Amino acid sequence: MTTLRIRTLGDPVLRERARPVERFDGTLRRLSDDMVETMHAANGVGLAAPQVGISGRFFVYDDHEGHAGFLANCALVGTDGEILHDEGCLSIPGPFSPTKRSQSVIARGQDVNGEPVEIRAEGLLARILQHETDHTQGVLYIDHLDAEARREVMRELREGEVRGASADPGFAPS
Ligand code: ZN
């Protein structure tokens, strides 16, 4: 398996609506394996195709609570509740900011073989599914913050670049 380069804020691929997955073949399976390797190497809990420079509507995830997998052409078909929790992103390395998300979600999509999948999730897994589905639509968690919080993230990001800091080991981004 290969570790892929993670694209960071400023790379236009992160802002594109990714293309739907139509071919569920060996190439997709290998890419999925490489993305899992890359996610684990970066201590992340999720990684979407645009984050490794690929315009594809799919992602991998591992919440380290027993839920790990692959989801293509994901749609959130039900959401409930609201919760504020620190969130980070491997493509915005360093800062974390309290981000409002649905407490629970129902996600539908396809597995790596193209078979239909439905995931009912709450807590961290629900947050990951929302964060990664956003990535496939060109949306980043900072888009959910108010202007002041977003400025704070950008400030921390610039300071982190000066220090050469990497991701906060206390919280796993995605
Ligand atoms: Zn992210």
Side-chain angles (χ1 to χ4, degrees), residues 51 89-90 131 135 174:
Q51 293 184 275
C89 180
L90 293 176
H131 182 112
H135 269 306
S174 53

Side-chain angles (χ1 to χ4, degrees), residues 38-163:
T38 305
M39 170 181 70
H40 285 150
N43 294 317
V45 293
L47 188 67
Q51 293 184 275
V52 292
I54 292 158
S55 179
R57 205 184 295 169
F58 64 98
F59 58 82
V60 297
Y61 62 93
D62 183 351
D63 69 356
H64 301 280
E65 294 171 356
H67 311 101
F70 167 102
L71 199 59
N73 302 327
C74 180
L76 302 177
V77 296
T79 60
D80 194 27
E82 197 176 83
I83 186 166
L84 194 65
H85 196 280
D86 265 355
E87 194 162 316
C89 180
L90 293 176
S91 295
I92 310 174
F96 296 88
S97 191
T99 306
K100 211 179 281 180
R101 294 288 188 182
S102 298
Q103 162 77 32
S104 65
V105 301
I106 301 169
R108 282 194 196 135
Q110 287 161 282
D111 69 13
V112 77
N113 299 310
E115 298 299 322
V117 177
E118 181 176 287
I119 304 169
R120 288 167 183 269
E122 56 183 34
L124 177 58
L125 182 58
R127 182 168 293 272
I128 295 169
L129 294 174
Q130 291 169 83
H131 182 112
E132 302 309 329
T133 301
D134 272 357
H135 269 306
T136 66
Q137 295 168 347
V139 175
L140 301 171
Y141 84 92
I142 52 174
D143 302 337
H144 295 284
L145 306 178
D146 63 34
E148 191 183 334
R150 191 159 46 239
R151 272 197 299 275
E152 176 67 14
V153 167
M154 299 311 288
R155 192 183 60 76
E156 281 183 46
L157 191 61
R158 283 193 300 273
E159 289 180 358
E161 280 169 1
V162 171
R163 285 198 313 270

